Amino acid sequence: SGWFGGPRPIDDVEVAPEPPTDFSGRLKVLGNSCVHWCRGFHDTNTCFWSILILMQVMVLLTFLISILLVIVAGVEAVMKAGCVSIYVIEDPGSCTQALQSVQSFLQTFAIGDGALTDDNIGQACNEYSLLTCSLISEKMTKSAIYVSIFSFLASIVSLQLVFDSAILHEQAVTRRKAAVLKAKQL
């Protein structure tokens, strides 16, 4: 019983690989060797625990990447805090006043498509996204929170998957041993 009829013995047919002549041939031999090893030893504890250790290393790498992303989120928070002290790119009134100061000593002053006049200089900061602090703070705060939460969540869920795989493997091994004992008693 089991999936697809349960485990069955595998034929021990040794096929000598052809010697590789180029890089793709070497990759093919490597792949065939891995498949041969998995076919011949897939049912052993050594194979399972080796793959489980590899999965734990991958989870560790995921966790380290999540820590790196949290550090990046911290740098973003520092940038946001530093941006607040520059009033020209934080406050719309200061931005408009700075544009008026620059316009007062220049003969022509243009941003984007056309020249700025006294009528449209008030909307220039918002229209041309000159208030970079507000743009940075809105987007960075959300991204920092999401990255921090979900990167750790991904690491925890991945580790849980590794644990579940180990539990299922041990249950299958125990069931198999119980089936062998039951068959010997009959």
Side-chain angles (χ1 to χ4, degrees):
S1 72
W3 296 103
F4 302 108
R8 285 177 242 131
I10 297 173
D11 299 333
D12 288 335
V13 177
E14 289 284 328
V15 177
E18 297 179 21
T21 57
D22 57 351
F23 183 70
S24 64
R26 289 180 181 153
L27 287 178
K28 186 177 177 182
V29 168
L30 176 68
N32 287 338
S33 299
C34 289
V35 168
H36 175 72
W37 183 79
C38 287
R39 268 194 200 150
F41 303 102
H42 72 282
D43 231 7
T44 63
N45 282 331
T46 305
C47 175
F48 176 76
W49 292 109
S50 297
I51 291 174
L52 197 72
I53 289 171
L54 178 68
M55 288 174 58
Q56 285 181 336
V57 168
M58 290 171 40
V59 168
L60 177 66
L61 289 175
T62 305
F63 182 71
L64 292 176
I65 290 171
S66 70
I67 289 175
L68 180 70
L69 291 174
V70 168
I71 290 171
V72 169
V75 170
E76 288 177 355
V78 169
M79 285 176 50
K80 178 184 166 194
C83 189
V84 171
S85 64
I86 306 172
Y87 298 112
V88 176
I89 59 176
E90 172 72 35
D91 181 40
S94 300
C95 178
T96 302
Q97 188 178 16
L99 290 177
Q100 288 170 342
S101 302
V102 172
Q103 186 184 30
S104 68
F105 67 86
L106 291 176
Q107 291 179 357
T108 58
F109 183 56
I111 297 176
D113 300 345
L116 290 177
T117 62
D118 290 335
D119 298 332
N120 65 2
I121 201 165
Q123 294 104 14
C125 291
N126 288 329
E127 186 177 333
Y128 295 108
S129 301
L130 299 178
L131 300 173
T132 56
C133 272
S134 61
L135 293 172
I136 288 172
S137 65
E138 289 172 12
K139 293 180 180 178
M140 283 185 146
T141 303
K142 287 181 183 178
S143 71
I145 290 171
Y146 291 153
V147 163
S148 300
I149 291 172
F150 290 112
S151 63
F152 280 115
L153 187 64
S155 296
I156 291 169
V157 170
S158 298
L159 189 61
Q160 181 63 36
L161 181 66
V162 170
F163 289 155
D164 286 344
S165 298
I167 290 169
L168 289 173
H169 172 74
E170 287 300 316
Q171 286 175 350
V173 167
T174 305
R175 279 191 215 119
R176 205 173 284 148
K177 287 179 182 178
V180 168
L181 286 174
K182 187 176 181 179
K184 285 182 182 179
Q185 289 176 356
L186 296 176

